[in-house]
Amino acid sequence: MPYLRVALDVPLPRLFDYWLDNATPADIGRRVVVPFGSRRLVGVVLAILAEPEYEASAIKPAEAVLDDMPALPAPVLGLFQFCADYYQHPLGQVVHTALPTRFRDPNPYRVAEALRYHALDSAALQAQVPKRAALQQRLAQLLATPRSEAELRAAGGTAWKTVQAWLQDGRVRAEQLQPGASVAAPGPALNIEQTEAVQAISAAQGFAAFLLHGITGSGKTEVYLNAIAAVLARGEQALVLVPEINLTPQLEARFLRRFPGVDIVSLNSGVADGERAAGWVRAARGEAGIVLGTRLAVFTPVPRLGLVVVDEEHDASFKQQDGLRYSARDVAVYRARQAGVPIVLGSATPALESWQNAEAGRYRHLRLSQRAVAGAQPPQWRLLSTKRQPLQDGLHARTLAALGERLARGEQALVFLNRRGYAPVMHCGECGWMAACTRCSARLTVHLRERTLRCHHCGDEAPLPRVCPGCGNQDMKPLGQGTQRLEDTLAERFPGARILRIDRDSTRRKGSFEAALQAVHAGEVDILVGTQMLAKGHDFPNLTLVAVVGADSGLYSADFRASERLYAQLAQVAGRAGRADKPGEVILQTDFPEHPLYQALLDDDYAAFAATELAERKLAGFPPFLHQAVLRAEADRLDEALAWLRQAALLAPLSEAVTVWDPVAAGMMRLANRERAQLLVQSTARSRLLAFLAEWMVALRAQKAGKVRWSLDVDPLEL
């Protein structure tokens, strides 16, 4: 009687055995429905055994092995095992984290065939569409030839709804998708640096890691596209990772234009479960030539993998902060090595870990030092001292003058403030009371238009108080500046300007972010007010000025990565200016114009900045010169969390190569009514640390945690 070894989505570091009469080795990697207590769970078969690990009489039968998805191949199962071992996470939970949500349902899934859509009579459709309906006109033109759903969705926020309406009234027909030719459409001519980068990547034999360091606007995406074209021409597939969902639609549209006959699968949290599962299946079958997605896409089965690309590789959103706390960038490097294919890590401001790998020769360094558009130059920086200067609601007189100049010339400007809401706090000048979250160790942000106070950590809300809860004072004022307040200030100062705010509050509605970007490209916006959502990946040819407000708050922090993050953020947002033939300018308002970080930005010398930062980290004993893990605990009371961590420290194996620090309260001690503490362990030897963690986790999992919730974070980004 054959037995199945099954990975289940349960928080236990073990696998489970079931028997099935007709099981065969072909079932390995497939979904299986099994009983688990009183529940029916979906598992994944990892092995077929002749004998079970436990008493055969206690083994339950599996219900059925499902054939509704391609079996996970051995390399992908090996990738799951690597993540389970490295991040000390139960293998079953790793497997189910990696699968699309739809495949966690025990009901069989039937893959809908991919379709292409075209107009029955393109000329008639274009004639029927109102001339002022720009999106419908664009769709009617697109539908003159068969188009995929992804191509049509990329046309605009309501595009797909319009196509569905035309399908219903018979003006558009759907036909089964036939894989087209992998011939790339012509792109812009490459400069010498881009050509050399593409040649180096295409010539790589087997695994090779490339750090593509290119200034903003240097054409890194064109390097990716040309390298991918060579991969597709060989009949292989490409896996492309981007850090944020907001970057996916515009990059997808660019890929679709360059590879019109290629099935491009987009995998991110904005894609519906069914669509995501269908795309995942096409990738696993080898039908999709390009898989484009956010961090979870790194686990997608790609049987003919020929190239991995990680765009904006420095971005912190590649690190998952709950559940399986993995770094998609690091997993991507392991996957490329496992598959024996090249990987390209691209950024204008590489992570210092990646920079050090390039300096040590583990990665090959490729440089793009000039902007790709002929005549385009990096923007000119100007530091405006705000010390003892009269400011108009936080804006320097020269900043306002520069904005007025752009308006007069018909150019666009971006005012960058990485703080949404109206103001960061509501304050009473009489007694000093400040609005604080009752659930978190944080202040409540003022959202004046909604008349609410909102916690940006737990989401808790409260109405704006009419009087001070501390002393009854009726004259309370918002302190500081957020994007809403900045928008109001600019509207008052420039009443004729078309001002658009783009932040998480203004783009909550589906499709609103894409619609906002289209308005900018269409020239319907004069001044943009935005947060880090606009800092990277966007190309606005008519935008010639970036004004940065409130950057000083990132200069002084207990986090040793604060300088690296601030430099990257400012360099990225500065790169939005002057990307075409018009010169760009960056104005940075600061109380500290002589600060070394700002001077490094002024010199546009990331290499010098990285060298200084790495020297300081080496002297202080910080990553990448040692390796860290953090054991976190949370409970109703801080003393409970600290007590559990002290007990955990006593269970730690003795190792001269690993330092175990005393437990302390977390930086944000209280979050969503739970109090948090943490314990740091570190070592100069990664292998020693991993061996230590493996032994330690066995001891910790054997202990009863009671009301304490705990987790381990390997290679943490936040301490």
Side-chain angles (χ1 to χ4, degrees):
M1 182 181 298
Y3 295 89
L4 309 178
R5 178 139 298 169
V6 177
L8 295 177
D9 186 13
V10 293
L12 298 171
R14 51 159 293 193
L15 303 175
F16 298 85
D17 292 348
Y18 293 87
W19 62 264
L20 188 68
D21 282 338
N22 56 351
T24 70
D27 294 328
I28 296 175
R30 293 198 180 278
R31 297 205 304 151
V32 60
V33 181
V34 299
F36 190 82
S38 59
R39 296 180 291 165
R40 296 171 70 235
L41 294 183
V42 171
V44 172
V45 180
L46 298 188
I48 304 293
L49 307 174
E51 296 292 336
E53 183 177 348
Y54 303 99
E55 177 63 36
S57 61
I59 304 296
K60 295 180 179 179
E63 287 187 19
V65 173
L66 305 178
D67 61 355
D68 55 358
M69 75 174 198
L72 296 169
V76 172
L77 296 178
L79 182 68
F80 296 160
Q81 186 64 62
F82 162 77
C83 290
D85 294 341
Y86 188 89
Y87 295 106
Q88 293 299 315
H89 201 71
L91 178 57
Q93 291 191 320
V94 172
V95 172
H96 289 271
T97 296
L99 290 179
T101 304
R102 178 59 186 82
F103 288 132
R104 301 171 201 172
D105 187 328
N107 295 313
Y109 172 72
R110 293 293 170 242
V111 181
E113 294 297 334
L115 301 174
R116 283 194 183 274
Y117 304 85
H118 66 91
L120 293 180
D121 187 334
S122 176
L125 181 58
Q126 292 181 49
Q128 294 164 5
V129 171
K131 297 297 183 184
R132 294 183 179 181
L135 177 58
Q136 293 186 38
Q137 283 286 343
R138 188 159 62 250
L139 281 173
Q141 293 169 10
L142 285 172
L143 289 165
T145 56
R147 302 285 180 172
S148 68
E149 180 180 335
E151 290 176 280
L152 297 170
R153 284 183 180 275
T158 60
W160 184 239
K161 186 178 294 186
T162 300
V163 173
Q164 288 179 311
W166 290 346
L167 273 168
Q168 290 179 356
D169 62 24
R171 287 186 282 181
V172 170
R173 175 181 294 171
E175 295 177 348
Q176 188 170 332
L177 173 68
Q178 298 296 328
S182 59
V183 177
L190 302 181
N191 60 33
I192 294 175
E193 290 180 327
Q194 290 175 308
T195 300
E196 291 176 348
V198 172
Q199 290 174 346
I201 296 164
S202 300
Q205 299 294 320
F207 170 74
F210 295 93
L211 179 62
L212 181 63
H213 174 217
I215 65 170
T216 53
S218 59
K220 292 184 290 295
T221 304
E222 279 301 321
V223 173
Y224 305 153
L225 291 169
N226 280 269
I228 290 169
V231 167
L232 296 177
R234 297 196 300 264
E236 297 173 343
Q237 297 168 281
L239 173 62
V240 182
L241 302 181
V242 295
E244 297 177 9
I245 183 177
N246 291 331
L247 297 179
T248 311
Q250 57 187 324
L251 195 60
E252 182 181 10
R254 192 165 175 181
F255 274 58
L256 288 166
R257 288 193 299 271
R258 183 62 65 86
F259 304 110
V262 176
D263 185 8
I264 299 174
V265 164
S266 184
L267 301 177
N268 59 70
S269 58
V271 177
D273 288 347
E275 183 183 347
R276 183 167 185 158
W280 186 95
V281 168
R282 298 206 307 277
R285 288 175 175 172
E287 298 167 359
I290 300 172
V291 178
L292 173 64
T294 48
R295 59 175 177 257
L296 199 56
V298 73
F299 296 111
T300 307
V302 184
R304 302 191 317 280
L305 185 63
L307 176 68
V308 180
V309 174
V310 183
D311 190 28
E312 306 290 359
E313 64 87 30
H314 69 279
D315 200 283
S317 61
F318 279 124
K319 172 73 172 180
Q320 174 71 27
Q321 297 293 351
D322 55 23
L324 172 61
R325 291 168 169 81
Y326 67 99
S327 163
R329 179 198 64 203
D330 297 347
V331 173
V333 173
Y334 178 87
R335 183 166 190 187
R337 182 186 297 275
Q338 177 194 48
V341 301
I343 180 170
V344 182
L345 308 174
S347 176
T349 53
L352 289 182
E353 288 82 358
S354 299
W355 189 272
Q356 176 62 18
N357 279 330
E359 293 291 291
R362 288 185 286 271
Y363 295 172
R364 181 172 173 184
H365 207 153
L366 304 175
R367 292 176 173 83
L368 304 178
S369 59
Q370 56 186 327
R371 289 205 155 178
V373 175
Q377 297 296 323
Q380 296 297 311
W381 282 82
R382 181 154 49 124
L383 301 183
L384 292 183
S385 176
T386 50
K387 277 187 177 179
R388 295 181 294 277
Q389 293 289 327
L391 302 178
Q392 182 176 330
D393 282 332
L395 293 174
H396 196 286
R398 293 185 185 176
T399 302
L400 292 168
L403 289 168
E405 291 171 8
R406 265 60 186 192
L407 289 171
R409 297 204 298 257
E411 297 170 357
Q412 294 172 317
L414 165 63
V415 183
F416 178 81
L417 174 62
N418 200 28
R419 188 184 302 124
R420 60 192 173 97
Y422 186 84
V425 70
M426 180 64 79
H427 174 254
C428 174
E430 292 293 326
C431 70
W433 176 86
M434 291 186 182
C437 180
T438 59
R439 294 159 48 87
C440 303
S441 304
R443 303 292 183 189
L444 292 173
T445 299
V446 181
H447 287 254
L448 198 60
R449 296 176 189 180
E450 298 89 345
R451 307 295 300 174
T452 62
L453 297 171
R454 184 179 302 156
C455 179
H456 287 175
H457 298 279
C458 72
D460 200 29
E461 290 188 2
L464 278 178
R466 296 185 178 181
V467 298
C468 173
C471 67
N473 174 34
Q474 296 183 7
D475 187 23
M476 291 190 299
K477 296 181 179 179
L479 285 185
Q481 200 170 31
T483 50
Q484 287 183 5
R485 189 171 197 169
L486 188 57
E487 181 186 17
D488 290 347
T489 298
L490 291 169
E492 182 179 344
R493 180 65 175 79
F494 303 106
R498 296 167 297 176
I499 300 172
L500 178 64
R501 173 171 54 90
I502 297 182
D503 56 24
R504 195 181 303 173
D505 296 323
S506 67
T507 57
R508 287 183 175 181
R509 185 170 47 84
K510 186 174 182 180
S512 57
F513 182 71
E514 292 78 9
L517 294 182
Q518 288 176 10
V520 179
H521 284 290
E524 299 167 1
V525 176
D526 300 315
I527 300 176
L528 270 168
V529 177
T531 60
Q532 63 182 355
M533 291 178 68
L534 293 176
K536 53 184 173 289
H538 303 293
D539 193 351
F540 306 128
N542 199 38
L543 196 151
T544 60
L545 174 68
V546 170
V548 180
V549 182
D552 287 349
S553 61
L555 287 178
Y556 303 102
S557 170
D559 184 356
F560 68 87
R561 288 190 172 89
S563 293
E564 178 186 3
R565 288 171 176 164
L566 180 59
Y567 187 103
Q569 184 180 82
L570 295 179
Q572 293 283 344
V573 72
R576 300 316 104 204
R579 294 176 71 91
D581 55 346
K582 299 176 182 177
E585 181 183 12
V586 180
I587 292 175
L588 195 152
Q589 297 186 178
T590 174
D591 284 346
F592 311 100
E594 303 303 322
H595 194 283
L597 187 145
Y598 292 152
Q599 292 302 314
L601 283 166
L602 214 61
D603 296 337
D604 193 20
D605 192 349
Y606 183 77
F609 169 78
T612 301
E613 284 289 305
L614 286 170
E616 291 179 358
R617 290 197 189 180
K618 187 172 185 178
L619 188 63
F622 286 138
F625 300 101
L626 54 71
H627 310 283
Q628 296 179 325
V630 173
L631 184 65
R632 308 185 196 275
E634 61 177 61
D636 293 334
R637 300 196 319 271
L638 179 62
D639 58 352
E640 293 177 337
L642 288 170
W644 188 89
L645 288 174
R646 292 189 193 100
Q647 181 62 31
L650 295 176
L651 296 173
L654 296 177
S655 173
E656 294 181 356
V658 179
T659 302
V660 180
W661 295 91
D662 291 335
V664 296
M668 176 170 283
M669 187 267 290
R670 186 173 180 81
L671 178 66
N673 277 338
R674 299 279 288 179
E675 299 194 344
R676 311 185 304 160
Q678 61 189 37
L679 183 156
L680 175 67
V681 296
Q682 59 189 34
S683 174
T684 56
R686 188 190 300 273
S687 58
R688 294 284 191 90
L689 178 62
L690 294 176
F692 169 91
L693 294 175
E695 185 177 350
W696 195 22
M697 287 303 103
V698 172
L700 289 179
R701 286 169 177 146
Q703 300 297 307
K704 290 185 178 180
K707 296 181 179 180
V708 175
R709 291 201 297 261
W710 63 274
S711 63
L712 182 72
D713 189 356
V714 181
D715 298 334
L717 287 186
E718 297 179 359
L719 296 178

